[in-house]
């Protein structure tokens, strides 16, 4: 497997994308994972530049614009990063989008999967990579990928944490889309590993969700949601706490499954309600969790070390990491790439993006759990060889 | 590093030395710092209308005189003659490098601006959080101040209420103490009255016992006086015969014997009464024979018993002597008998009381007084020695008889008194006292 990652901070969209394309073109990538920040407003120009640089109109592209980029050379709040892969034709890469994710998250995923089923011709892909517009209830995406898809689905929700959500878009080959999920099926004997870190310390006592509608959590533990968080943490939920305070759902599902729901905002503060990054249901048992920067950093290093110790030899790595972690760490998230470089060497192709909700199965008893939607999570997808080993 | 700044492109044919002749496209113009040689700017503008904002590098156009213009910090326009291209191109490498560095600086500046924008937003949110928290804390401080003020007022009110209540309680306490003192005084008076009532009963017994011999003696003395007056009158009239004198002398002897017998009996009674009455009336201890106290007590109790169908049997150890309080023992016995006569045989035709005395181990005396009467029910038995406990209140029972027994035995005689009773079978009191009474308590 040939792989290469590249990044740029060139301000002009065409020039930046042209640079990425030209840089990747020497490995003749079959697929490019593309992540860019929202500063490139002129996405058609950007995509022209990329394909001009790649000089191959058939390269499959999946990705999203958002709050920053990860790449081997840099972790940045501005710019673009791309990871190109060339399996020598062993792996077929299929990309499809499902529209209407805001109103119909389940339907959007199903529509994308149905489109992918055509080229898959009944084959199961090694895995799916999924990016979605943030403006939806991701827990409803989870219900489909968890209950209806029996291969790993890895990905995240694309958004911007700096009030430029309107500029966000998703990349599905040459098309820039909104209000969609975009999915890529890796169709072939591609080995991979998924590592997910979501250790976040619970505090206080658990409470049962008394009232919730989608992502809006109204009442927990006999009081309104904001009061519950304050009661259990000793302080009110603040604007600057967005993304760094989460609720863990204790009755998450099957063995080994764990869910976190980060608190997005208290826009319903008048009534004491809290909006979450992902839906929650009445009757769920939740406990407030507070992230400790030291723990977050230590866990990423532990994941990288554990992956290296497993003997897996990656050709490339994709990182989907919660933007709430970035906020909590003051933007100092270089270590999320640095830990991988330390574990696997500095030449490993790496790319990724800060997300507003992460997707992936958890390691459990030598296998993977069902596909889950997470918050406050670091997802590492290691891509290996194409011989199925 | 970004793309190499060594791209020299031209549309001229043939291309000057060092230049690559290309069919110029947007890709060429925007592929990084480039040196582009064209005939005029229209060729550039046609391909990229906003080339001024987007291109980096040097645009050379063929024109005279030679002129150099900075379009932007990273884009220069050079007008020159074709024969001057070679000279200018020799400067291009360094020039394009400077443009690349300027572009890099522009990127870094943009990144810094973005970072500043992010930090500004974070500060704005943090400021809003700070203001919210400040307002929240101020509200809490205000609430605490109000609460503190209310608490202060409450404390003040509470203090005055406590003072008033304390004064009320002190007054009530004083009143209760006074009432308690009065009750104690009343109780003592009642006990004393009951004891005096015992004395009265004793006096009645004394009167009854003395009445017969003294009355008989008085009758005899009156008859003797009448006989003497009659003899004296006969003698004065000279009518006194021998027979009459013999009869008078015989009668005088009979009456004298009667007088002697009855007055002796009265004197004996008085001596007995004196011993008991003196002891009952005061609480001085001395050495005495128990038999004397019992005999004296029984003497004045006899009239009470004689008028009834009930009998008192004595089973006494006549040798017992004590150094104690005989008056208290007499009062105890008197109260046992009086209590039995009043309660034990109610609605019974006959009844028997038994008084026993015996020495017991430890130099002690055991007095047992029992009856075969009605007995006392179990729920009343524990209260029998309590003051004012009576089942015949208003019918002559003061409720102090057995209480006096209890206090005299315990406090004065230094012993104990116990009671057992079986309903319909009778009651038995057992008094155990030391032969030598303890020293009186101060």
């Amino acid at each position: 497997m040939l792989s290469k990652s590249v990044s740029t901070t060139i301000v002009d969209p065409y020039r930046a994308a042209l640079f990425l394309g030209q840089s990747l073109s020497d490995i003749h990538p079959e697929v490019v994972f593309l992540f860019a920040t929202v500063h490139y407003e002129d996405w058609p120009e950007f995509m022209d530049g990329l394909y001009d640089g790649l000089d191959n109109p058939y390269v499959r592209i999946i990705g999203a614009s958002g709050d920053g980029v990860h790449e081997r050379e840099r972790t940045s709040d501005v710019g673009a990063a791309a990871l190109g892969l060339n399996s020598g034709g062993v792996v077929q890469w299929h990309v499809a989008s499902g529209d209407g994710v805001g109103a119909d998250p389940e339907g959007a995923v199903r529509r994308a999967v149905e489109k992918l089923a055509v080229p898959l011709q009944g084959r199961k892909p090694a895995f799916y990579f999924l990016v979605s517009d943030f403006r939806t209830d991701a827990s409803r995406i989870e219900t489909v990928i968890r209950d209806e898809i029996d291969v790993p689905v890895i990905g995240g929700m694309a958004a911007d944490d700096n009030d430029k959500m309107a500029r966000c878009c998703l990349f599905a080959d040459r098309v820039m889309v909104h209000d969609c999920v975009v999915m890529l099926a890796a169709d072939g004997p591609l080995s991979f590993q998924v590592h997910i870190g979501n250790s976040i310390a619970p505090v206080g006592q658990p409470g049962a969700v008394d009232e919730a509608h989608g992502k809006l959590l109204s009442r927990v533990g006999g009081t309104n949601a904001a009061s519950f968080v304050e009661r259990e943490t000793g302080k009110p939920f603040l604007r600057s706490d967005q993304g760094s305070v989460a609720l863990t759902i204790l009755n998450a599902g099957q063995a080994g499954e764990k869910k976190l729901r980060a608190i997005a905002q208290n826009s319903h503060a008048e009534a004491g309600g809290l909006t979450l990054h992902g839906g929650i249901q009445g009757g769920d048992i939740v406990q407030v969790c507070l992230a400790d920067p030291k723990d977050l950093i230590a866990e990423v290093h532990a994941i990288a070390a554990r992956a290296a110790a497993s003997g897996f030899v990656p050709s490339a790595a994709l990182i989907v990491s919660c933007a709430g972690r970035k906020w909590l760490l003051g933007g100092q998230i270089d270590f999320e790439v640095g830990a991988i470089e330390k574990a696997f060497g500095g030449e490993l192709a790496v790319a990724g993006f800060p997300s507003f909700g992460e997707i992936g199965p958890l390691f459990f008893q030598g296998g993977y759990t069902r596909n889950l939607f997470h918050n406050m999570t670091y997802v590492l997808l290691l891509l290996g060889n194409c011989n199925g080993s | 590093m970004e793309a190499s700044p060594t791209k020299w492109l031209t549309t001229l044919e043939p291309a000057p030395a060092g230049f690559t002749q290309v069919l110029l496209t947007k890709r060429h113009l925007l592929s990084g710092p480039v040196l582009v040689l064209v005939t005029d700017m229209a060729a550039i503008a046609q391909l990229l209308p906003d080339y001024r904002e987007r291109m980096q590098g040097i645009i050379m156009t063929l024109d005279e005189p030679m002129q150099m213009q900075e379009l932007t910090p990273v884009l220069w326009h050079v007008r020159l003659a074709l024969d001057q291209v070679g000279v200018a191109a020799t400067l291009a490498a360094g020039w394009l490098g400077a443009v690349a560095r300027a572009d890099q600086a522009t990127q870094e500046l943009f990144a810094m601006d973005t970072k500043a924008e992010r930090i500004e937003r974070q500060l704005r949110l943090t400021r809003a959080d700070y203001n919210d928290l400040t307002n929240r804390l101020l509200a809490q401080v205000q609430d605490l101040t109000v609460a503190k003020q209310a608490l202060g007022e409450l404390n003040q009110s509470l203090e005055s209420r406590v003072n008033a209540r304390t004064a009320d309680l002190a007054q009530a306490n004083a009143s209760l103490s006074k009432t308690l003192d009065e009750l104690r005084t009343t109780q003592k008076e009642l006990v004393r009255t009951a004891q005096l009532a015992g004395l009265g009963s004793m006096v009645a017994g004394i009167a009854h016992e003395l009445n017969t011999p003294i009355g008989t003696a008085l009758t005899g003395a009156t008859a003797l006086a009448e006989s003497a007056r009659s003899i004296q009158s006969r003698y004065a009239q000279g009518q006194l015969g021998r027979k009459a004198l013999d009869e008078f002398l015989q009668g005088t002897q009979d009456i004298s014997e009667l007088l002697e017998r009855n007055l002796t009996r009265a004197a004996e009674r008085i001596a007995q009464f004196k011993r008991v009455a003196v002891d009952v009336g005061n609480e001085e201890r001395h050495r005495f024979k128990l038999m004397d106290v019992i005999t004296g007590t029984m003497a004045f109790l006899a009239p009470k018993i004689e008028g009834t169908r009930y009998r008192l049997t004595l089973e006494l150890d006549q040798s017992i002597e004590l150094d104690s309080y005989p008056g208290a023992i007499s009062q105890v016995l008197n109260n046992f008998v009086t209590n039995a006569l009043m309660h034990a045989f109610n609605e019974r035709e006959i009844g028997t009381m038994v008084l026993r005395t015996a020495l017991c181990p430890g130099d002690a005396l055991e007095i047992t007084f029992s009856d075969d009467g009605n007995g006392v029910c179990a729920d009343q038995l524990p209260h029998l020695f309590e003051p004012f406990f009576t089942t015949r209140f208003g019918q002559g029972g003061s409720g102090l008889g057995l209480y006096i027994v209890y206090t005299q035995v315990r406090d004065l005689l230094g012993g104990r008194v116990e009671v057992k009773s079986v309903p319909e079978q009778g009651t038995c009191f057992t008094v155990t006292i030391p032969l030598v009474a303890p020293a009186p308590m101060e």
Side-chain angles (χ1 to χ4, degrees), chain A residues 241-291:
Chain A
D241 286 331
Q242 289 180 27
S244 61
V245 179
L247 299 173
T248 179
I249 302 174
L250 299 176
N251 52 340
Q254 297 179 355
E257 296 181 353
K258 178 183 177 183
K259 285 185 195 172
L260 288 172
R261 291 286 180 269
I263 301 171
Q265 55 187 318
N266 58 347
S267 56
H268 298 82
E270 291 297 320
L274 295 171
T275 302
L276 308 179
H277 285 298
I280 198 163
Q281 292 183 338
D284 281 353
I285 306 298
V286 297
Q287 191 170 11
V288 184
C289 295
L290 298 178

Side-chain angles (χ1 to χ4, degrees), chain A residues 128-131 153-157 320 353 355 357-360 379:
Chain A
Y128 290 102
F129 191 78
L130 181 153
V131 288
V153 179
I154 303 99
M157 314 297 289
V320 182
F353 71 107
S355 63
E358 300 74 51
I359 290 168
V379 177

